Amino acid sequence: MAEVLHVLSGAAIPFGPKGAFRSAITSKKTLAGAILVTRAGIAGDEQGNKIHHGGPDQALHQYPFDHYATWCRERPELAPHLAAPGAFGENLSTLDMTEMTVCLGDIYRCGTARLQVTRTRHPCWRLNVRFGDPRMAHRVQDSGRMGWYLRVLEEGSLGAGEALMLEYRPHPDWPLTRLIRALFLDPLNYPLLEEMAALPELASSSKDYAIRRLATRTLEDWRSRMETPDKA
Protein backbone atom coordinates (compact mmCIF):
# COMPACT_ATOMS: atom_id res chain seq x y z
CA MET A 1 0.00 0.00 0.00
CA ALA A 2 1.29 3.46 -0.90
CA GLU A 3 2.36 5.50 2.10
CA VAL A 4 3.45 9.03 2.93
CA LEU A 5 6.88 8.80 4.51
CA HIS A 6 7.38 12.51 5.08
CA VAL A 7 5.51 15.79 4.66
CA LEU A 8 7.81 18.71 3.87
CA SER A 9 7.64 22.47 3.60
CA GLY A 10 10.16 25.23 3.02
CA ALA A 11 10.60 28.97 2.68
CA ALA A 12 11.99 30.53 -0.50
CA ILE A 13 15.54 31.77 0.05
CA PRO A 14 18.23 33.32 -2.19
CA PHE A 15 19.36 30.72 -4.68
CA GLY A 16 21.28 30.20 -7.90
CA PRO A 17 24.10 32.24 -9.42
CA LYS A 18 25.13 34.88 -6.85
CA GLY A 19 21.84 34.35 -5.02
CA ALA A 20 20.05 36.27 -7.74
CA PHE A 21 17.00 33.99 -7.67
CA ARG A 22 14.79 32.53 -4.97
CA SER A 23 13.80 28.92 -4.34
CA ALA A 24 12.73 26.60 -1.54
CA ILE A 25 14.34 23.50 -3.06
CA THR A 26 17.17 23.51 -0.51
CA SER A 27 15.08 24.50 2.50
CA LYS A 28 12.49 21.72 2.74
CA LYS A 29 12.04 20.46 6.31
CA THR A 30 10.00 17.52 7.54
CA LEU A 31 6.81 18.38 9.40
CA ALA A 32 5.46 16.36 12.32
CA GLY A 33 1.87 15.55 13.17
CA ALA A 34 -1.27 16.26 11.17
CA ILE A 35 -0.55 18.93 8.53
CA LEU A 36 -3.33 21.04 7.06
CA VAL A 37 -3.39 21.16 3.28
CA THR A 38 -5.52 23.73 1.50
CA ARG A 39 -6.15 24.35 -2.18
CA ALA A 40 -3.05 26.54 -2.10
CA GLY A 41 -0.93 23.77 -0.53
CA ILE A 42 0.81 23.69 2.85
CA ALA A 43 0.85 26.90 4.87
CA GLY A 44 4.36 28.34 4.90
CA ASP A 45 5.51 26.42 1.85
CA GLU A 46 6.84 28.93 -0.69
CA GLN A 47 7.84 29.04 -4.33
CA GLY A 48 10.51 31.35 -5.62
CA ASN A 49 8.99 31.57 -9.10
CA LYS A 50 5.22 31.75 -8.87
CA ILE A 51 4.83 31.93 -12.65
CA HIS A 52 5.97 28.33 -13.11
CA HIS A 53 5.55 26.90 -9.60
CA GLY A 54 2.67 26.72 -7.15
CA GLY A 55 -0.99 27.56 -7.77
CA PRO A 56 -4.02 25.29 -7.38
CA ASP A 57 -2.90 22.82 -10.06
CA GLN A 58 0.49 22.46 -8.36
CA ALA A 59 -0.51 22.75 -4.73
CA LEU A 60 1.67 19.78 -3.69
CA HIS A 61 4.72 18.19 -5.28
CA GLN A 62 5.00 14.44 -4.76
CA TYR A 63 8.24 12.56 -5.35
CA PRO A 64 8.79 8.82 -4.89
CA PHE A 65 11.34 8.01 -2.24
CA ASP A 66 11.62 4.77 -4.22
CA HIS A 67 13.79 6.67 -6.74
CA TYR A 68 16.43 7.75 -4.22
CA ALA A 69 18.15 4.34 -4.19
CA THR A 70 18.16 4.25 -7.99
CA TRP A 71 19.79 7.69 -8.20
CA CYS A 72 22.43 6.67 -5.64
CA ARG A 73 23.15 3.46 -7.53
CA GLU A 74 23.45 5.22 -10.89
CA ARG A 75 25.32 8.27 -9.64
CA PRO A 76 27.03 7.62 -6.29
CA GLU A 77 28.32 11.20 -6.15
CA LEU A 78 24.74 12.36 -5.53
CA ALA A 79 24.42 10.32 -2.31
CA PRO A 80 25.25 13.22 0.05
CA HIS A 81 22.38 15.23 -1.45
CA LEU A 82 20.02 12.26 -1.07
CA ALA A 83 20.72 11.50 2.57
CA ALA A 84 17.35 12.98 3.59
CA PRO A 85 13.98 13.41 1.87
CA GLY A 86 13.17 16.70 0.19
CA ALA A 87 16.17 16.70 -2.14
CA PHE A 88 13.92 17.28 -5.16
CA GLY A 89 11.87 19.95 -3.41
CA GLU A 90 8.97 17.60 -2.77
CA ASN A 91 6.15 18.17 -0.29
CA LEU A 92 5.18 14.52 -0.11
CA SER A 93 7.88 11.86 0.04
CA THR A 94 6.11 8.57 -0.65
CA LEU A 95 6.72 4.86 -1.01
CA ASP A 96 5.20 2.41 -3.51
CA MET A 97 4.00 4.97 -6.04
CA THR A 98 5.93 5.80 -9.21
CA GLU A 99 5.30 7.34 -12.62
CA MET A 100 4.60 3.81 -13.88
CA THR A 101 1.78 3.15 -11.41
CA VAL A 102 0.18 6.61 -11.13
CA CYS A 103 -2.14 7.95 -13.85
CA LEU A 104 -3.09 11.47 -14.85
CA GLY A 105 -6.30 12.46 -13.05
CA ASP A 106 -5.99 9.86 -10.29
CA ILE A 107 -7.84 10.87 -7.13
CA TYR A 108 -6.38 9.77 -3.79
CA ARG A 109 -7.64 10.00 -0.24
CA CYS A 110 -4.87 10.76 2.24
CA GLY A 111 -5.86 11.45 5.82
CA THR A 112 -8.89 13.72 5.51
CA ALA A 113 -7.64 15.38 2.30
CA ARG A 114 -8.59 14.42 -1.24
CA LEU A 115 -5.91 14.93 -3.88
CA GLN A 116 -5.75 14.69 -7.69
CA VAL A 117 -2.77 14.15 -9.98
CA THR A 118 -2.56 17.06 -12.44
CA ARG A 119 0.81 16.95 -14.25
CA THR A 120 4.40 15.80 -14.04
CA ARG A 121 7.23 17.99 -12.95
CA HIS A 122 9.06 19.81 -15.73
CA PRO A 123 12.70 19.58 -14.58
CA CYS A 124 14.45 22.93 -14.47
CA TRP A 125 17.91 24.36 -13.84
CA ARG A 126 17.30 24.60 -10.11
CA LEU A 127 18.04 20.88 -9.98
CA ASN A 128 21.46 21.59 -11.53
CA VAL A 129 22.31 23.98 -8.71
CA ARG A 130 20.74 21.80 -6.03
CA PHE A 131 22.81 18.76 -6.97
CA GLY A 132 25.94 20.54 -8.16
CA ASP A 133 25.57 18.95 -11.59
CA PRO A 134 24.99 21.15 -14.68
CA ARG A 135 23.23 18.22 -16.39
CA MET A 136 20.90 17.21 -13.57
CA ALA A 137 17.73 18.67 -15.13
CA HIS A 138 18.51 16.71 -18.29
CA ARG A 139 19.20 13.56 -16.28
CA VAL A 140 15.88 13.81 -14.46
CA GLN A 141 13.98 14.46 -17.68
CA ASP A 142 15.67 11.63 -19.58
CA SER A 143 15.14 9.19 -16.69
CA GLY A 144 11.42 9.91 -16.36
CA ARG A 145 11.91 9.99 -12.58
CA MET A 146 10.55 13.49 -12.13
CA GLY A 147 7.65 13.29 -9.70
CA TRP A 148 4.26 14.92 -10.15
CA TYR A 149 1.93 17.63 -8.87
CA LEU A 150 -1.39 17.42 -7.08
CA ARG A 151 -4.40 19.68 -6.73
CA VAL A 152 -6.35 19.59 -3.48
CA LEU A 153 -9.96 18.68 -4.22
CA GLU A 154 -10.95 18.57 -0.55
CA GLU A 155 -8.95 20.40 2.08
CA GLY A 156 -7.96 18.41 5.14
CA SER A 157 -5.01 17.14 7.11
CA LEU A 158 -2.45 14.45 6.39
CA GLY A 159 0.81 13.32 7.87
CA ALA A 160 3.67 10.85 7.81
CA GLY A 161 2.45 7.28 7.98
CA GLU A 162 -0.83 8.00 6.20
CA ALA A 163 -1.89 5.71 3.38
CA LEU A 164 -2.64 7.08 -0.07
CA MET A 165 -5.84 5.30 -1.12
CA LEU A 166 -6.83 5.42 -4.78
CA GLU A 167 -10.50 6.44 -5.03
CA TYR A 168 -10.96 7.01 -8.76
CA ARG A 169 -8.92 6.54 -11.93
CA PRO A 170 -10.53 8.35 -14.90
CA HIS A 171 -7.66 7.66 -17.32
CA PRO A 172 -6.13 4.20 -16.80
CA ASP A 173 -4.61 4.48 -20.29
CA TRP A 174 -2.66 7.59 -19.24
CA PRO A 175 0.00 6.50 -16.72
CA LEU A 176 2.42 9.32 -16.07
CA THR A 177 5.01 7.49 -18.14
CA ARG A 178 2.79 8.13 -21.18
CA LEU A 179 2.42 11.80 -20.28
CA ILE A 180 6.20 12.03 -19.92
CA ARG A 181 6.57 10.47 -23.35
CA ALA A 182 4.20 13.04 -24.86
CA LEU A 183 5.88 15.98 -23.14
CA PHE A 184 9.56 15.09 -23.31
CA LEU A 185 10.52 11.84 -25.03
CA ASP A 186 8.39 11.92 -28.19
CA PRO A 187 7.32 15.57 -28.06
CA LEU A 188 6.15 16.00 -31.66
CA ASN A 189 3.93 12.93 -31.77
CA TYR A 190 0.83 14.79 -32.95
CA PRO A 191 -1.80 12.05 -32.38
CA LEU A 192 -0.48 11.65 -28.83
CA LEU A 193 -0.54 15.42 -28.28
CA GLU A 194 -4.15 15.56 -29.50
CA GLU A 195 -5.14 12.97 -26.91
CA MET A 196 -3.16 14.81 -24.24
CA ALA A 197 -4.80 18.16 -25.01
CA ALA A 198 -8.24 16.59 -24.55
CA LEU A 199 -7.59 15.41 -20.97
CA PRO A 200 -9.86 17.59 -18.77
CA GLU A 201 -7.93 16.88 -15.57
CA LEU A 202 -4.56 17.92 -17.02
CA ALA A 203 -3.16 21.16 -15.61
CA SER A 204 -3.58 24.01 -18.08
CA SER A 205 0.16 24.75 -17.97
CA SER A 206 0.88 21.31 -19.46
CA LYS A 207 -2.12 21.33 -21.78
CA ASP A 208 -0.85 24.59 -23.30
CA TYR A 209 2.32 22.83 -24.46
CA ALA A 210 0.27 20.33 -26.44
CA ILE A 211 -1.93 23.04 -27.95
CA ARG A 212 1.04 25.16 -29.03
CA ARG A 213 2.91 22.23 -30.54
CA LEU A 214 -0.17 21.18 -32.49
CA ALA A 215 -0.66 24.74 -33.75
CA THR A 216 2.95 25.48 -34.69
CA ARG A 217 4.22 21.97 -35.47
CA THR A 218 7.40 22.93 -33.60
CA LEU A 219 8.96 22.21 -30.22
CA GLU A 220 9.49 24.99 -27.71
CA ASP A 221 13.05 25.91 -26.72
CA TRP A 222 13.93 24.09 -23.50
CA ARG A 223 17.21 25.89 -22.84
CA SER A 224 15.85 28.61 -20.54
CA ARG A 225 14.20 25.94 -18.41
CA MET A 226 17.06 23.48 -18.21
CA GLU A 227 20.29 25.47 -18.46
CA THR A 228 21.55 27.33 -15.40
CA PRO A 229 21.42 31.08 -16.07
CA ASP A 230 24.55 33.16 -15.89
CA LYS A 231 23.26 36.16 -13.97
CA ALA A 232 25.42 38.73 -12.21
Side-chain angles (χ1 to χ4, degrees):
M1 180 181 297
E3 177 187 359
V4 175
L5 296 181
H6 302 277
V7 182
L8 304 105
S9 175
I13 59 176
F15 182 82
K18 299 185 178 180
F21 300 85
R22 295 182 66 81
S23 177
I25 195 171
T26 58
S27 63
K28 298 293 183 183
K29 305 295 183 186
T30 56
L31 304 175
I35 308 303
L36 177 66
V37 293
T38 70
R39 285 176 173 79
I42 298 171
D45 190 55
E46 295 181 340
Q47 298 82 37
N49 182 342
K50 294 184 181 296
I51 295 175
H52 299 294
H53 303 104
D57 285 345
Q58 300 175 98
L60 298 170
H61 175 217
Q62 183 175 345
Y63 195 82
F65 191 72
D66 315 61
H67 292 336
Y68 276 51
T70 305
W71 283 116
C72 287
R73 184 170 59 252
E74 289 181 356
R75 306 197 66 80
E77 70 276 12
L78 299 181
H81 299 287
L82 298 166
F88 292 86
E90 63 265 36
N91 299 116
L92 301 181
S93 175
T94 57
L95 196 62
D96 293 330
M97 293 173 74
T98 71
E99 294 82 359
M100 295 179 65
T101 63
V102 172
C103 295
L104 190 280
D106 277 0
I107 295 175
Y108 293 90
R109 174 70 65 178
C110 186
T112 61
R114 199 160 172 256
L115 313 172
Q116 184 173 46
V117 178
T118 62
R119 55 166 280 185
T120 63
R121 183 194 196 135
H122 291 213
C124 76
W125 62 265
R126 288 163 181 79
L127 291 169
N128 303 341
V129 177
R130 170 72 178 92
F131 287 93
D133 179 351
R135 295 286 301 169
M136 192 63 187
H138 289 272
R139 298 187 203 286
V140 171
Q141 182 165 295
D142 293 344
S143 74
R145 299 190 297 266
M146 54 188 65
W148 54 90
Y149 287 102
L150 303 160
R151 65 170 62 97
V152 178
L153 297 179
E154 293 180 13
E155 298 180 346
S157 61
L158 52 79
E162 298 276 11
L164 281 145
M165 305 293 295
L166 179 64
E167 287 193 346
Y168 180 52
R169 173 162 283 172
H171 301 292
D173 56 340
W174 272 93
L176 293 181
T177 49
R178 190 176 186 212
L179 185 60
I180 290 165
R181 178 189 165 207
L183 283 166
F184 307 114
L185 305 181
D186 190 12
L188 292 178
N189 182 324
Y190 301 120
L192 190 60
L193 289 171
E194 287 175 354
E195 288 188 54
M196 176 183 153
L199 296 168
E201 296 84 0
L202 181 64
S204 60
S205 55
S206 289
K207 189 175 295 189
D208 287 346
Y209 284 107
I211 293 170
R212 284 196 299 269
R213 292 176 193 174
L214 288 167
T216 65
R217 289 308 202 249
T218 59
L219 180 64
E220 65 277 3
D221 189 342
W222 291 346
R223 287 176 296 180
S224 63
R225 171 170 61 86
M226 303 183 73
E227 297 179 6
T228 306
D230 179 16
K231 184 170 182 177

